[in-house]
Amino acid sequence: MGGVDKGLVEYLDRPLVFHAIERFAPQVGPLLVSANRNLETYRSLGFPLVSDAEPDYPGPLAGLLAGLTACETEWLACIPCDCPALPLDLVARLKDRIAGPDALVAVACVAGRMQPTFQLCHRSLRPALQDYLASGERRMGGWCRQQGAVEADFPDPAAFRNINTAAELDAS
């Protein structure tokens, strides 16, 4: 997106983050918004705001860590802001895959591909995530696999379509 804050990019006459919140908020209890810039704009949405504690914006795992640090519930559901059609039953289906005390992360899976930015994560994994980031690793999928993530299959790839470029935005 050429350095533009994707959450604030207009899609169907509203910023992408509005679409994400509209579809996600009914699925969770307290909602946190993770952002590292345009903080006043995000704060104006009316939800608690978290930012990366890690320097140089090391990616989505740093946002997940900020969420786990601020999370006051046992579980944290996580989505990216650039997916305006995420499933309305995402969290319920992820929760259904959590069975027994050993499953601490559930991730969405579409057509055999893990979608690790769509996940339900137990807050007890915060130290493991801190260690993973401290080791220099940044791959969300790698961390999820390391934690023994279970997968929840979703049939509709369009529900997980990310808008990452101006061309993808124009094609929408």
Side-chain angles (χ1 to χ4, degrees):
M1 288 288 189
V4 174
D5 187 332
K6 280 199 296 185
L8 301 178
V9 168
E10 292 282 320
Y11 173 75
L12 300 178
D13 300 321
R14 295 184 310 160
L16 280 168
V17 69
F18 280 52
H19 296 276
I21 289 171
E22 180 177 74
R23 295 183 73 87
F24 192 56
Q27 301 184 53
V28 297
L31 182 83
L32 300 171
V33 173
S34 175
N36 294 309
R37 53 189 174 153
N38 300 306
L39 300 182
E40 287 307 313
T41 301
Y42 284 106
R43 202 170 278 116
S44 74
L45 297 173
F47 298 99
L49 189 64
V50 298
S51 296
D52 297 354
E54 305 291 317
D56 302 321
Y57 310 119
L61 283 174
L64 179 61
L65 179 58
L68 288 171
T69 300
C71 184
E72 295 179 358
T73 59
E74 190 173 351
W75 293 90
L76 178 71
C78 171
I79 62 161
C81 70
D82 60 356
C83 186
L86 68 98
L88 296 172
D89 63 346
L90 175 73
V91 176
R93 292 180 67 182
L94 292 172
K95 186 179 177 199
D96 285 348
R97 292 293 297 136
I98 301 291
D102 294 333
L104 299 176
V105 180
V107 298
C109 184
V110 180
R113 288 192 65 198
M114 181 189 285
Q115 303 292 320
T117 57
F118 299 86
Q119 68 170 268
L120 182 62
C121 178
H122 195 271
R123 69 178 177 193
S124 66
L125 291 178
R126 183 174 164 245
L129 181 51
Q130 286 174 309
D131 292 346
Y132 188 79
L133 285 168
S135 76
E137 291 290 342
R138 299 292 182 257
R139 294 168 298 154
M140 177 81 83
W143 183 77
C144 290
R145 281 187 278 284
Q146 188 180 78
Q147 304 314 310
V150 295
E151 295 179 356
D153 289 319
F154 288 84
D156 183 9
F160 293 90
R161 183 180 52 86
N162 292 77
I163 297 176
N164 292 312
T165 67
E168 290 173 350
L169 184 65
D170 291 342
S172 298

